[in-house]
Amino acid sequence: MINRERSIWQFSENDGSCDCDGAIKELAKESGISKFLAGLLYRRGITDAVAADRFLNPLEKQELHSPRLLSDSMAAAERIAVAIERGEKVCIYGDYDVDGVTSVTILVRALRRLGGKAENISWYVPNRFREGYGLNEAALRKIAAEGTKLVVTVDCGIKSAELISRMTEELGIDFVVTDHHLPDKDDLDKEVIPVAIAVVNPHCHHRGAAYPWEEVCGAEVAFKLAELLTEMMAPQPKGMPYETDMELAALGACADVMPLLDENRRLVKRGLELLGHTEIKGLRAILEAARVKKVAPQSGAGEELLSGGQTMWEVTTEDVGFRIAPIINAAGRIADAGVVVELLLEEDSFTVAKLAGKLQDYNLERQNLTKQLTAQAESELEREESLGAVPVAQRDVIVAAGEDWAEGIIGLVATRLMEKYNRPTVVFSITEDKDTGVRWAKGSARSIDGFHIHDALASPEVSAHIFRFGGHAKAAGVTVEADNLGDFTAALTEYAGRVLTDRDRQKKIKAECRLKPSEITADILEDLKKLEPTGEGNRKPVFGLFEVRAERAATMGQEGVHLQFWLPGRARAVYWRGGEQLELINSSAVDFLFTVNDNEWQGQHRPECIVTELRPSCSAFSPERLRNVFRLVRQSAAAAGAESFAIDEGLVRSTGVCREELGLILEVFRELGFVCESCGRYSFAEKPVKRSLEESKTYRSLTNR
């Protein structure tokens, strides 16, 4: 069967909570904003003028919470201050993702800035492949052997209580744990807190701690600790906000997908502003490599990029997510994330350029490997289908495995397959332990809404086939003996078959509201800008247009892979990788979802629609039209005199309907038993039974029923 299932478009205006036109008008009036902007705020739960003012003006109205409210923060700062004053060796121990390396950099720079000698302030980032995430005993023994008296963890450590206790006793070193992950719970549901000098974590409540906003990342915790240390050892003038290295904390928050609400909203907004003119040479090199949009130099500024320090960038959360973070993460996925910390701490311009070049090479390799392994995984799934396995589009779980696939890349492959098929996905790399001869399958799992992958792996029937695993609702890591992969796949598939509903299996796209082409004007650009920064907890608005007759549609780019067209209101729309939809958009009205970008050209600002999904308009599937098309299909098939037919140019010409619409219409009639389909060829049922269109799942999806 050909998979033609359409995604579900979920509009906030229809969810039952936003039928409040009067309240939106009142919010607009009280706040002095447009009704359009008031509607966006209302649908985000911001329903009064005070909350709207704080949300729209975070730099002025949203406070940053005191670092003293974090658990054990004073004890942590005091122990670090003593280490600096005594000249003790301190090691900052981090993680290999963006949040980890920015956390390390923040504290290393802070301790050196506050008087710690460079030779006394070291750092350590574990290797993803040799050591994995978190503290490990071999590394700690090596660090202690170098004379280190204090280890400060960042973005890790909260789940290493046993190791910390043992290393403290055996090696005589102190630990300050800073982390943002949830602590483990014991059998009595109490937090398991490592025994250390201090445990600084927004989720921890020992000794009466209660941080007002728990959803902060590791880099933000490190930033708060640096702020408190500075307050103790080198106080700033009263009333001056602490912003040193805030751009690094903002990078960590965006890359770790923290909700951009409460204090995160202010920190990220200001941090991205600071990032645009950062003095950290390594960051400037990364911005250059990521091709982030530049802004005109300030009056009198030079044109040089790095040496003069005058180039400025306009950095958005999308830049971080799609340009900057992938470059930084590439080092840990391909080689060793330590090179990123080296780059961020380096002051020599020549060395900065050399290290930045390494990062670019890693990122290029990461891109090529991701494409290569995704293609291999798809090929393996197709091979399984050819041998009689259930078609991929009809499976409840997708599991792919290959020999020696790059472990740092399989998570990206799992994400791509999960997004393509809207199914929980696990991708494994199979390797042999040279010491024991055991073949292990190390996997990375990604999941969809409605399917908690960690709960699935923890279920008795699935965990029976697992060596170890860990993770959360949407992502997990899992290790299985290669010989058990078949049993693991069967058990996970059976579990998913019980848990997933038909609605879970349909991709869902959340959107704001429906617009008319005439509403897409330059006026809404300013309103949308006020929502920035957008991201988790404050998604970039997605809108819908319906019954659109596009004008001047044409493909663009190499081989016509992209699509552009104009709306009746003269706004331009672009559909990246949507070139194959040219036939559809030229033949009928369409519905599509889109975001709005500010297209600036020669000082002029114009709204541009970036299409995220496009499909035939619902009106194309009225009962009368479906009957007419089916009649034309029968006539065309009869004229050809063949027992079966395919959707080809002849059928398109004789019906006047494009290929995609024909495929959807025939799928409706296949579900109703009027036609049969095999390998893309159709035949008419001999004695079809009269049935209602509502009995077709595809018809209900097409008409949003």
Side-chain angles (χ1 to χ4, degrees):
M1 184 184 85
I2 299 173
N3 180 38
R4 301 188 184 281
E5 194 169 78
R6 302 219 302 185
S7 57
I8 299 172
W9 295 358
Q10 298 177 323
F11 287 94
S12 297
E13 63 183 2
N14 291 340
D15 67 2
S17 64
C18 293
D19 186 20
C20 302
D21 191 62
I24 290 173
K25 288 180 179 177
E26 185 65 23
L27 178 60
K29 181 180 178 181
E30 290 182 358
S31 303
I33 58 179
S34 70
K35 184 184 175 185
F36 173 77
L37 180 55
L40 295 175
L41 295 179
Y42 199 91
R43 285 186 287 272
R44 284 160 173 72
I46 300 167
T47 58
D48 63 77
V50 174
D53 188 31
R54 184 167 57 248
F55 187 85
L56 296 174
N57 302 287
L59 299 186
E60 297 81 19
K61 301 299 175 67
Q62 174 63 58
E63 67 174 345
L64 292 176
H65 305 304
S66 169
R68 294 171 181 267
L69 299 176
L70 283 165
S71 63
D72 289 351
S73 56
M74 284 300 297
E78 288 168 358
R79 178 63 184 91
I80 294 171
V82 167
I84 293 174
E85 290 166 357
R86 291 178 178 172
E88 293 179 342
K89 288 192 173 184
V90 181
C91 180
I92 313 300
Y93 190 117
D95 185 27
Y96 42 69
D97 64 0
V98 176
D99 192 26
V101 296
T102 52
S103 300
V104 169
T105 305
I106 287 169
L107 279 190
V108 170
R109 283 170 56 87
L111 269 58
R112 291 177 179 176
R113 187 170 58 248
L114 294 172
K117 294 180 179 180
E119 61 267 26
N120 288 340
I121 311 301
S122 63
W123 53 270
Y124 191 89
V125 175
N127 183 280
R128 177 194 294 265
F129 311 106
R130 296 192 303 270
E131 300 168 287
Y133 168 78
L135 295 173
N136 74 83
E137 183 173 339
L140 290 174
R141 290 189 180 279
K142 179 183 176 184
I143 290 167
E146 293 169 350
T148 299
K149 298 299 182 184
L150 174 63
V151 172
V152 181
T153 75
V154 289
D155 196 29
C156 65
I158 192 63
K159 293 181 180 293
S160 300
E162 186 277 330
L163 180 61
I164 288 173
S165 294
R166 190 154 48 84
M167 292 296 96
T168 300
E169 183 177 344
E170 292 183 20
L171 303 178
I173 54 177
D174 289 340
F175 284 87
V176 166
V177 176
T178 80
D179 201 350
H180 73 115
H181 296 97
L182 289 167
D184 288 331
K185 297 286 186 74
D186 63 16
D187 294 339
L188 299 176
D189 202 36
K190 291 184 178 180
E191 295 176 344
V192 177
I193 306 298
V195 177
I197 296 295
V199 177
V200 186
N201 187 319
H203 293 289
C204 291
H205 305 100
H206 57 292
R207 287 189 273 278
Y211 195 67
W213 176 250
E214 295 184 353
E215 298 301 320
V216 296
C217 68
E220 290 176 280
V221 176
F223 173 80
K224 295 279 184 181
L225 182 54
E227 177 183 1
L228 188 54
L229 274 166
T230 302
E231 182 183 313
M232 290 174 57
M233 302 182 72
Q236 298 184 136
K238 194 172 182 180
M240 179 181 291
Y242 182 80
E243 295 184 339
T244 306
D245 292 344
M246 186 182 277
E247 60 264 50
L248 290 169
L251 272 181
C254 292
D256 235 40
V257 201
M258 292 293 104
L260 298 186
L261 303 170
D262 201 272
E263 71 171 340
N264 286 354
R265 183 162 170 79
R266 172 173 169 174
L267 184 144
V268 169
K269 186 176 180 68
R270 180 57 178 155
L272 294 185
E273 289 178 358
L274 294 170
L275 181 57
H277 54 86
T278 182
E279 294 182 0
I280 300 174
K281 291 182 178 181
L283 274 184
R284 297 180 69 83
I286 291 171
L287 293 174
E288 190 67 31
R291 298 182 180 180
V292 175
K293 179 182 176 182
K294 295 175 183 176
V295 295
Q298 294 178 339
S299 178
E303 296 297 322
E304 51 275 291
L305 296 180
L306 292 175
S307 58
Q310 300 296 339
T311 298
M312 295 175 63
W313 292 267
E314 186 178 301
V315 189
T316 67
T317 50
E318 287 183 309
D319 289 325
V320 176
F322 296 106
R323 295 172 181 268
I324 300 169
I327 290 177
I328 294 175
N329 278 330
R333 293 186 185 280
I334 299 299
D336 195 305
V339 69
V340 182
V341 180
E342 290 180 43
L343 173 61
L344 296 176
L345 295 174
E346 185 57 59
E347 292 294 335
D348 177 71
S349 296
F350 176 80
T351 307
V352 164
K354 184 178 178 181
L355 291 171
K358 262 190 183 182
L359 269 193
Q360 287 179 285
D361 290 342
Y362 291 148
N363 191 46
L364 183 60
E365 186 175 352
R366 187 267 310 172
Q367 291 171 332
N368 292 335
L369 269 176
T370 303
K371 290 178 183 176
Q372 176 186 328
L373 292 187
T374 301
Q376 288 182 26
E378 292 267 31
S379 178
E380 177 62 21
L381 294 171
E382 289 173 4
R383 186 187 68 81
E384 292 174 3
E385 279 194 36
S386 70
L387 296 175
V390 176
V392 180
Q394 297 176 40
R395 298 182 192 182
D396 288 323
V397 169
I398 295 171
V399 177
E403 297 284 344
D404 296 314
W405 284 356
E407 291 179 26
I409 303 298
I410 56 177
L412 301 177
V413 177
T415 298
R416 290 196 175 190
L417 295 177
M418 182 268 294
E419 290 175 346
K420 179 175 180 178
Y421 295 104
N422 195 54
R423 294 292 187 275
T425 300
V426 191
V427 178
F428 287 97
S429 173
I430 300 173
T431 57
E432 182 177 321
D433 186 318
K434 294 180 180 178
D435 295 329
T436 64
V438 177
R439 296 176 71 249
W440 294 104
K442 296 181 179 179
S444 188
R446 299 292 183 270
S447 195
I448 59 175
D449 290 338
F451 191 83
H452 196 299
I453 189 66
H454 186 273
D455 286 354
L457 297 175
S459 66
E461 65 266 46
V462 179
S463 61
H465 308 290
I466 295 175
F467 176 68
R468 63 169 171 255
F469 71 95
H472 48 82
K474 291 292 185 70
V478 56
T479 301
V480 178
E481 281 198 47
D483 291 343
N484 292 337
L485 262 181
D487 292 336
F488 166 83
T489 302
L492 185 60
T493 299
E494 183 178 344
Y495 177 92
R498 295 198 313 269
V499 172
L500 288 173
T501 65
D502 286 344
R503 192 168 180 83
D504 290 333
R505 293 179 178 93
Q506 280 187 272
K507 182 180 179 182
K508 300 168 202 64
I509 303 177
K510 295 181 180 180
E512 288 282 338
C513 59
R514 295 161 171 79
L515 293 180
K516 299 174 183 176
S518 59
E519 295 177 296
I520 304 171
T521 66
D523 292 338
I524 70 172
L525 290 176
E526 282 302 313
D527 283 340
L528 292 173
K529 192 172 183 180
K530 291 173 184 175
L531 287 184
E532 294 289 345
T534 55
E536 186 69 20
N538 177 36
R539 294 290 185 182
K540 185 172 183 175
V542 176
F543 304 102
L545 276 173
F546 291 80
E547 303 287 332
V548 175
R549 288 281 179 180
E551 301 172 357
R552 293 181 285 161
T555 57
M556 61 181 188
Q558 288 186 348
E559 300 178 359
V561 70
H562 308 302
L563 177 69
Q564 68 173 340
F565 56 92
W566 274 258
L567 305 179
R570 299 195 65 179
R572 179 176 180 251
V574 175
Y575 191 7
W576 303 115
R577 301 194 179 280
E580 62 186 19
Q581 301 280 25
L582 180 63
E583 179 187 15
L584 168 64
I585 207 166
N586 277 332
S587 64
S588 64
V590 295
D591 304 336
F592 63 89
L593 299 179
F594 65 98
T595 59
V596 180
N597 279 4
D598 183 354
N599 183 17
E600 182 182 356
W601 176 251
Q602 295 182 338
Q604 297 294 314
H605 295 263
R606 297 183 179 87
E608 182 175 73
C609 302
I610 305 300
V611 179
T612 57
E613 188 161 291
L614 181 147
R615 62 195 191 188
S617 192
C618 291
S619 62
F621 305 101
S622 66
E624 183 179 0
R625 186 165 186 267
L626 291 183
R627 285 193 294 269
N628 288 336
V629 171
F630 191 67
R631 176 175 51 80
L632 292 172
V633 169
R634 289 198 75 115
Q635 291 174 358
S636 176
E643 291 185 1
S644 64
F645 62 94
I647 301 175
D648 54 20
E649 289 297 331
L651 191 61
V652 169
R653 284 195 303 272
S654 62
T655 59
V657 180
C658 72
R659 290 173 184 269
E660 180 173 347
E661 283 186 87
L662 277 172
L664 291 167
I665 291 170
L666 287 172
E667 180 62 14
V668 170
F669 287 109
R670 187 202 66 78
E671 291 176 352
L672 296 176
F674 285 80
V675 297
C676 303
E677 184 267 336
S678 177
C679 299
R681 295 195 67 82
Y682 297 83
S683 58
F684 294 100
E686 292 184 6
K687 294 181 180 180
V689 178
K690 186 176 181 179
R691 297 173 67 183
S692 167
L693 284 170
E694 295 290 342
E695 295 180 61
S696 164
K697 178 182 173 183
T698 298
Y699 176 76
R700 295 195 303 272
S701 173
L702 292 172
T703 53
N704 291 324
R705 301 187 184 210

